[in-house]
Amino acid sequence: MNSQILSKRLAQVAAFVPKYARLADIGSDHAYLPIYLVANKSINYAVAGEIAQGPLKAASKQIKRYGYTNEIIPRLADGLMAIQPEDRIDTVVIAGMGGILTTTILTKGKEEGRLTKEQRLILQPNNHEQSVRHWLATQHYKIYEEQIVEEHGKFYEIIVAYYKTDCHYTKKEIYFGPVLIQQKNLAFKKKWQKELQTKQKVLSNLQNARTAQKSKIEEVQQQIAWIKEVLK
């Protein structure tokens, strides 16, 4: 099986999954990611977690179609409750969800004992990336790798993190990504050039509004200054 089964963003997620990982793919979307990884002999065990019967049936159908019922376990569960101790999961993927939902899943998973300090997190939020990084920072996770890809005019950020007690990030690193801000690839620059235009419009609207809060204006001005600085 080739990478055509995967979108560009999921192909990048797959690239971050370690060889022979025991994977939990939360919100698996037809189980395409674990199917691809098993087919290419990158992993031989995965749990495909889904919260609703419809997506679970779709995932189960694809798993049977490719003949991987022994390697990939479809499981109906809310978030990280899909993980059982006997799975010995060492890598957790949450891809294609909103950033706020991603942090909610992680928080509940930690409270329920399904998220352990030994697990690698590979996160691809569709929005609110800063919220995800803020969660990681406050929960003592270090961001080791990041990548940003453009697909069909949208930008997707992938964040790879491990638990590490002594890591600290500035507000600017949380905003842009501590690794992305160093790499500044083409997709990064395109995203933030577009975002700069949006922020400038927001600032103009705030300055023209009678009820705009001074703190909000200052916040947007700070973001604009940061964006201009990283785009230099």
Side-chain angles (χ1 to χ4, degrees), residues 75-168:
R75 195 170 284 159
L76 185 69
D78 183 1
L80 297 187
M81 289 302 288
I83 299 173
Q84 301 297 331
E86 58 269 25
D87 296 322
R88 294 181 285 114
I89 296 299
D90 55 38
T91 303
V92 174
V93 168
I94 306 176
M97 300 185 194
I100 303 301
L101 178 56
T102 299
T103 60
T104 299
I105 290 171
L106 292 170
T107 299
K108 289 177 66 177
K110 183 178 179 182
E111 292 171 349
E112 294 161 349
R114 305 305 170 101
L115 180 63
T116 71
K117 296 177 181 178
E118 290 73 34
Q119 291 163 342
R120 166 190 286 228
L121 300 180
I122 305 175
L123 311 173
Q124 183 270 297
N126 285 346
N127 52 39
H128 294 286
E129 297 88 354
Q130 293 88 355
S131 296
V132 174
R133 292 193 191 94
H134 182 263
W135 187 93
L136 292 170
T138 57
Q139 300 300 317
H140 308 292
Y141 279 82
K142 181 175 176 61
I143 297 171
Y144 282 86
E145 296 179 275
E146 289 181 299
Q147 188 56 268
I148 180 170
V149 297
E150 182 182 5
E151 187 170 32
H152 305 307
K154 292 189 68 176
F155 298 94
Y156 300 97
E157 297 182 12
I158 299 100
I159 304 165
V160 183
Y162 296 90
Y163 185 85
K164 194 175 188 295
T165 54
D166 57 342
C167 60
H168 304 281

Side-chain angles (χ1 to χ4, degrees), residues 160-200:
V160 183
Y162 296 90
Y163 185 85
K164 194 175 188 295
T165 54
D166 57 342
C167 60
H168 304 281
Y169 295 107
T170 65
K171 290 181 179 180
K172 190 174 177 181
E173 287 174 323
I174 294 291
Y175 192 69
F176 293 101
V179 179
L180 294 178
I181 200 173
Q182 297 298 323
Q183 296 174 340
K184 295 185 184 180
N185 69 9
L186 179 60
F188 177 91
K189 291 178 180 178
K190 287 180 68 175
K191 172 183 176 172
W192 288 107
Q193 284 166 349
K194 187 176 179 180
E195 191 67 20
L196 176 60
Q197 294 176 350
T198 301
K199 292 292 182 184
Q200 288 171 330

Side-chain angles (χ1 to χ4, degrees), residues 1-12 14-15 32-33 35-37 39-40 151:
M1 179 186 296
N2 59 39
S3 60
Q4 290 179 353
I5 190 175
L6 300 182
S7 63
K8 188 175 180 180
R9 67 176 179 87
L10 274 185
Q12 182 59 65
Y32 289 142
L33 177 66
I35 287 170
Y36 169 79
L37 291 167
N40 285 276
E151 187 170 32

Side-chain angles (χ1 to χ4, degrees), residues 24-61:
D25 185 22
I26 306 303
S28 194
D29 186 22
H30 294 78
Y32 289 142
L33 177 66
I35 287 170
Y36 169 79
L37 291 167
V38 170
N40 285 276
K41 303 187 186 307
S42 295
I43 65 171
N44 53 29
Y45 186 85
V47 171
E50 291 289 0
I51 195 172
Q53 283 286 357
L56 184 74
K57 288 181 180 179
S60 299
K61 182 179 179 180

